[in-house]
Amino acid sequence: MIIAQYEHRLPADYDLGIIRRRAAARGGLWDDVPELYFKAFLLREAGRHGASAHSYSSLYLWRREAAFTDFISSRFRSVIDSFGRPDIRTRFALDARKGLGSIARLAYRQEIEIAQDADLAEVLASETAHNREAASQPSIVVAAVGVDVDRWRIMRTCLSEGELDLPGAIAYQVLYLAHPLLDELPG
């Protein structure tokens, strides 16, 4: 599995209604994409949930690498045409779980550096266990954890029905959640 996210910083005076309408109009196009567990259309609005600036983001969980490759060679064209080519943060998923929640309103991303002298097997096992525990919380719709082997960082992400207290996490509003294969994740 691959977790992928990209983000577009928006000007302070940008009409966020454009982003909301884009997510509403384009969200349904992702509801039956093969090999996609979910795509979340995300918004950070200055002054809300700790955001100091506006940004628009997409977060994906792909079942197979080939599906992600197909996406960037085809569907990604509309992103490039609208916003330019962003950096896509990709993580190899260690674990992903469907939670007990039903409507994702907020998404959270935490990044944790893996210490140079850390036992990698121990860190990865601990993060997998942490993700299973996170997914068992009542308001969690989905929780996933991945590793960036380029920068040696862990990325925890979860979609929730409401606000969570996650120190150091970046919070996003979920504008639309396409979830073609979400029910196939373990609970």
Side-chain angles (χ1 to χ4, degrees):
M1 289 184 291
I2 293 178
I3 303 169
Q5 183 180 14
Y6 52 86
E7 193 158 346
H8 311 282
R9 187 170 174 137
L10 303 170
D13 61 349
Y14 193 86
D15 177 2
L16 296 181
I18 294 169
I19 298 300
R20 288 184 175 93
R21 288 188 296 277
R22 180 183 176 91
R26 299 190 59 79
L29 301 174
W30 293 87
D31 285 338
D32 59 357
V33 172
E35 305 299 318
L36 179 66
Y37 287 109
F38 71 83
K39 175 186 179 174
F41 292 76
L42 306 175
L43 176 66
R44 283 188 49 85
E45 185 175 351
R48 295 192 66 192
H49 306 291
S52 60
H54 300 322
S55 67
Y56 173 54
S57 180
S58 292
L59 173 67
Y60 305 80
L61 179 62
W62 295 96
R63 180 168 26 198
R64 297 190 209 311
E65 151 186 334
F68 174 69
T69 303
D70 182 56
F71 156 67
I72 60 173
S73 65
S74 59
R75 285 179 174 251
F76 196 59
R77 181 49 132 186
S78 69
V79 173
I80 293 170
D81 290 346
S82 297
F83 299 100
R85 189 186 318 176
D87 290 334
I88 302 175
R89 293 186 211 122
T90 56
R91 309 289 188 270
F92 296 103
L94 302 172
D95 189 63
R97 308 236 157 221
K98 184 178 183 310
L100 301 172
S102 57
I103 299 172
R105 292 185 175 88
L106 294 169
Y108 292 88
R109 185 184 83 225
Q110 287 178 296
E111 299 224 10
I112 302 157
E113 187 151 344
I114 301 172
Q116 185 72 23
D117 59 349
D119 178 313
L120 289 175
E122 187 176 293
V123 169
L124 301 183
S126 174
E127 287 298 325
T128 298
H130 179 274
N131 192 66
R132 288 179 179 168
E133 175 63 28
S136 72
Q137 302 304 310
S139 68
I140 300 300
V141 176
V142 63
V145 63
V147 62
D148 173 348
V149 295
D150 185 41
R151 296 186 308 145
W152 292 108
R153 296 175 71 85
I154 295 293
M155 184 183 81
R156 296 173 180 166
T157 186
C158 64
L159 279 63
S160 172
E161 292 180 332
E163 292 189 25
L164 302 174
D165 182 20
L166 299 173
I170 296 172
Y172 300 85
Q173 299 169 55
V174 177
L175 301 178
Y176 190 94
L177 179 63
H179 51 88
L181 301 179
L182 185 62
D183 289 335
E184 293 186 18
L185 289 175

